[in-house]
Amino acid sequence: MSILRLATARIAAVSSCPQNRILQQHTLSFSALAPVAKEVTVTFVEPDGAEIEATGEEGTNLMELAHENDVDLEGACEGACACSTCHVILEDKIYDELPEPSDEENDMLDLAFGLTDTSRLGCQVELTPDMEGMRIKLPSATRNFYVDGAKPAHH
């Protein structure tokens, strides 16, 4: 049981006791305080021009979203910002609205194949409502793709 549900259940139990009528009048609904993640839909454009539409919750990074939707985006370091295999190319407008890449991300981007002015690592870019409808281009190659050609699997 989640902490939120547990707290709500305990408040309900305490407030149902006749000696706690004051509490009963002031019981808070904690469920109303729980944030609701917004769904965001984007389109990944593969090097051959094929398009894959993907929908994920706000806060999901682009690499995870790609893996959940069978998009050919490797992510060899599993999102640790230690490789460049999740390199993506963003639209100018979206790129300009993002926080600046960290020094670590820039170091990894220096290793990326086909680097552009709007390149980012997918593991470092989280979905926001402003990205609704965004098109994400995948480069034609990565520098350290699995030798055996394996594709990332769902986790």
Side-chain angles (χ1 to χ4, degrees), residues 29-123:
S29 173
F30 288 110
S31 60
L33 301 175
V36 177
K38 181 173 172 41
E39 294 277 308
V40 180
T41 301
V42 299
T43 301
F44 288 94
V45 181
E46 296 187 329
D48 65 1
E51 296 184 0
I52 300 172
E53 192 173 271
T55 301
E57 289 186 358
E58 180 179 358
T60 302
N61 72 48
L62 296 180
M63 183 193 71
E64 291 171 348
L65 181 65
H67 290 180
E68 291 167 2
N69 289 276
D70 297 321
V71 175
D72 192 14
L73 186 66
E74 185 180 347
C77 72
E78 297 184 6
C81 197
C83 73
S84 64
T85 61
C86 66
H87 167 221
V88 294
I89 302 165
L90 304 177
E91 297 172 332
D92 291 341
K93 176 183 177 264
I94 298 297
Y95 181 89
D96 292 341
E97 293 174 0
L98 292 173
E100 290 291 318
S102 67
D103 290 341
E104 292 82 7
E105 182 179 358
N106 276 327
D107 288 345
M108 292 300 107
L109 282 168
D110 286 342
L111 304 173
F113 180 84
L115 190 66
T116 72
D117 290 340
T118 61
S119 290
R120 291 294 300 263
L121 296 182
C123 67

Side-chain angles (χ1 to χ4, degrees), residues 72-76 84-85 141-152:
D72 192 14
L73 186 66
E74 185 180 347
S84 64
T85 61
T142 60
R143 292 226 187 261
N144 51 339
F145 196 77
Y146 289 129
V147 173
D148 63 357
K151 304 289 187 216

